[in-house]
Amino acid sequence: MADTNLSSKCAIPVGISACLMGEQVRYNGGHKRSRYCLDVLQECFAFEPFCPELEAGLGVPREPIRLVGAPGEPPRVKGTVDPELDVTERLREVGEAFVARHRHLRGFILMKGSPSCGLERVKVYHENGMPSHADSGLFVQVLREHFPELPLEEEARMNDAVLRENFITRVFAFDDWKRHVEDAKGYHALIQFHSRQKYLLMAHHVEAYRELGRYLGSEAHALPLEEVKHSYLQRFMVALARPATRKTHTNAMMHVMGYLKQELDSEVKQDLLQAIEEYRLGHVHLAVPLRLLSHYMKRHGSEYIRQQTYLDPHPYELGLRNAI
């Protein structure tokens, strides 16, 4: 009998701020347990919890820390009670050591507002204690500097259905890369990856879809393979980080449907076109036209179009396209 357990099918390694797993590692000894991560995503992701502040030896409970600095200069991480407490270098070293040990990760889910783990809009204070501007937490800055292709998202931002689907799409695409391209010794694996990710890429960033296609079709073969893979991956992940819209999804679905025109009768084609148009107008969710497309692709589509990750970029059981 086939195994239908979701966790057994994907178990993708993903980092997560330890407090979101319910671990009592916050400055006050508390946690920020995420029901969505533990009750839903843990069925699919093999979470690896990490707290950079705890790893830096700050202890629990501890004096709260915050970002301090002026606009245009790298913020320091200092104590809110004792301004002489400066843990900037310790946190940076912890982040760099983490990256060195965790290149296997496919993503990281972060704690909102944290001076170490906040993705964006983390308050930066003047030395006098007044808010100055906003930045990312220091651990996030290190991840972006040394592991830029790693998909990052804040747990709180995943309340937004579009951002949630975008992040999980990126995790699965990066997992595809890790499993099939990263250690490959020839160009074939990279070309195959681009081929199956083609319409997913189109749905997120049409210009990048065209540019990467030209890159692989012309100049890439004259360059060293590792250089090509590095360049391609950076550009691919940046493109996927742009959330797809109703307009771009509609464009991608019309291109996919083009592979069926000769196989379907006029009534079926009209049904598909109507479903796509109802989605474009905001009357139905993305899952509606895509399920129709997938149904007819399985019956009439070529091997090439059936392999497109755009049709199933993540497990259907997660229901991510039922809300966008």
Side-chain angles (χ1 to χ4, degrees), residues 169-209:
T169 293
R170 286 184 285 141
V171 168
F172 275 88
F174 192 38
D175 180 63
D176 185 354
W177 177 275
K178 286 280 192 181
R179 288 186 293 114
H180 298 114
V181 185
E182 185 167 85
D183 296 325
K185 303 304 181 183
Y187 282 90
H188 180 71
L190 173 56
I191 299 301
Q192 290 297 104
F193 175 86
H194 180 72
S195 178
R196 63 180 171 268
Q197 299 285 354
K198 194 171 181 179
Y199 291 107
L200 182 65
L201 186 58
M202 176 185 281
H204 285 261
H205 201 308
V206 173
E207 292 80 6
Y209 155 81

Side-chain angles (χ1 to χ4, degrees), residues 27-40:
Y27 71 94
N28 58 3
H31 63 79
K32 287 287 185 178
R33 184 183 188 276
S34 167
R35 292 183 60 186
Y36 182 67
C37 290
L38 288 173
D39 298 347
V40 179

Side-chain angles (χ1 to χ4, degrees), residues 19 33 44 61 83 92 121 130 140-141 158 180 182 187 192 209 211 219 239 257 259 268 277 282 288 303 313:
C19 57
R33 184 183 188 276
C44 201
R92 177 165 286 279
R121 302 185 305 278
M130 297 298 291
V140 172
Q141 293 178 34
M158 288 198 293
H180 298 114
E182 185 167 85
Y187 282 90
Q192 290 297 104
Y209 155 81
E211 290 170 3
E219 60 186 289
M257 186 180 165
Y259 286 84
V268 170
E277 179 65 5
V288 174
E303 183 67 17

Side-chain angles (χ1 to χ4, degrees), residues 126-142:
H126 286 292
E127 292 286 355
N128 62 14
M130 297 298 291
S132 170
H133 59 290
D135 207 329
S136 301
L138 184 58
F139 178 63
V140 172
Q141 293 178 34
V142 174

Side-chain angles (χ1 to χ4, degrees), residues 90-232:
R90 286 156 65 185
L91 280 174
R92 177 165 286 279
E93 289 170 3
V94 161
E96 291 172 353
F98 176 88
V99 170
R101 296 192 307 266
H102 292 83
R103 302 296 304 193
H104 65 283
L105 292 180
R106 276 55 163 170
F108 203 108
I109 300 175
L110 300 151
M111 177 61 207
K112 176 184 177 182
S114 164
S116 57
C117 292
L119 183 64
E120 57 182 38
R121 302 185 305 278
V122 180
K123 289 183 179 179
V124 182
Y125 294 84
H126 286 292
E127 292 286 355
N128 62 14
M130 297 298 291
S132 170
H133 59 290
D135 207 329
S136 301
L138 184 58
F139 178 63
V140 172
Q141 293 178 34
V142 174
L143 288 180
R144 284 174 165 162
E145 180 181 347
H146 296 284
F147 202 172
E149 64 272 27
L150 185 70
L152 305 175
E153 190 52 272
E154 285 181 349
E155 186 270 346
R157 280 169 39 105
M158 288 198 293
N159 290 322
D160 182 303
V162 172
L163 296 179
R164 179 170 65 243
E165 197 268 346
N166 177 267
F167 171 69
I168 295 172
T169 293
R170 286 184 285 141
V171 168
F172 275 88
F174 192 38
D175 180 63
D176 185 354
W177 177 275
K178 286 280 192 181
R179 288 186 293 114
H180 298 114
V181 185
E182 185 167 85
D183 296 325
K185 303 304 181 183
Y187 282 90
H188 180 71
L190 173 56
I191 299 301
Q192 290 297 104
F193 175 86
H194 180 72
S195 178
R196 63 180 171 268
Q197 299 285 354
K198 194 171 181 179
Y199 291 107
L200 182 65
L201 186 58
M202 176 185 281
H204 285 261
H205 201 308
V206 173
E207 292 80 6
Y209 155 81
R210 293 173 181 150
E211 290 170 3
L212 286 173
R214 287 194 295 267
Y215 177 64
L216 293 180
S218 57
E219 60 186 289
H221 284 280
L223 300 171
L225 176 60
E226 291 307 311
E227 179 183 331
V228 172
K229 290 194 322 190
H230 176 77
S231 176
Y232 180 94

